[in-house]
Amino acid sequence: MDYEFLRDVTGQVQVRFSMGHEVVGHWFNEEVKGDMHLLAKVEAAAADVKGSERHWQLEGHEYTLWLDGEEVMIRANLLEFEGDEIEEGMAYYDEESLSLCGVEDFLQVIQKYREFAAGC
């Protein structure tokens, strides 16, 4: 999982992830937007479910983050389909709308995000 941190013209931290993990970057860019309290909430939840069968979910405006003791899933809220909304013979492309990664890798990205945002 490769990624890079940038600053936009307003100074806001932006994150770009490699193919297959783009949604992780979208989550940081759309839901976090520099909110370190949100990141602390995610870290606390990860610590809480570690070593258990429990899971935790955070629904945002555009993306939902779900985690358990081993992995993190981020998906676009638009992926929630009811019944057979897709026409027969058609497939929904979700490569840029859903991503999975390990909890430890995700927590490391959070730490690097904090460091970059602080100007380290």
Side-chain angles (χ1 to χ4, degrees):
M1 179 167 76
D2 295 324
Y3 54 91
E4 66 177 330
F5 298 104
L6 310 156
R7 290 196 186 272
D8 65 14
V9 295
T10 67
Q12 182 74 33
V13 176
Q14 296 290 303
V15 188
R16 288 190 195 154
F17 275 76
S18 58
M19 185 180 274
H21 292 99
E22 297 99 334
V23 177
V24 179
H26 298 322
W27 181 80
F28 275 95
N29 298 336
E30 297 297 322
E31 302 294 341
V32 176
K33 296 181 182 177
D35 184 353
M36 299 305 164
H37 295 293
L38 178 64
L39 296 180
K41 187 176 181 179
V42 172
E43 288 171 317
D48 188 49
V49 301
K50 186 175 184 174
S52 74
E53 298 284 326
R54 295 177 310 208
H55 68 274
W56 181 80
Q57 180 174 309
L58 176 66
E59 187 170 337
H61 299 290
E62 299 288 329
Y63 296 91
T64 296
L65 182 141
W66 180 94
L67 62 84
D68 63 15
E70 296 180 9
E71 72 180 352
V72 173
M73 177 179 71
I74 298 174
R75 67 170 169 73
N77 293 341
L78 294 176
L79 281 183
E80 294 185 24
F81 288 115
E82 299 289 331
D84 296 324
E85 293 181 26
I86 300 176
E87 293 181 29
E88 186 176 331
M90 300 296 286
Y92 184 76
Y93 176 74
D94 66 359
E95 283 293 312
E96 294 180 10
S97 300
L98 175 71
S99 184
L100 298 165
C101 67
V103 171
E104 295 303 320
D105 290 338
F106 189 72
L107 293 175
Q108 185 178 42
V109 173
I110 288 176
Q111 180 60 36
K112 297 291 185 188
Y113 183 94
R114 269 201 185 95
E115 290 171 8
F116 186 85
C120 294

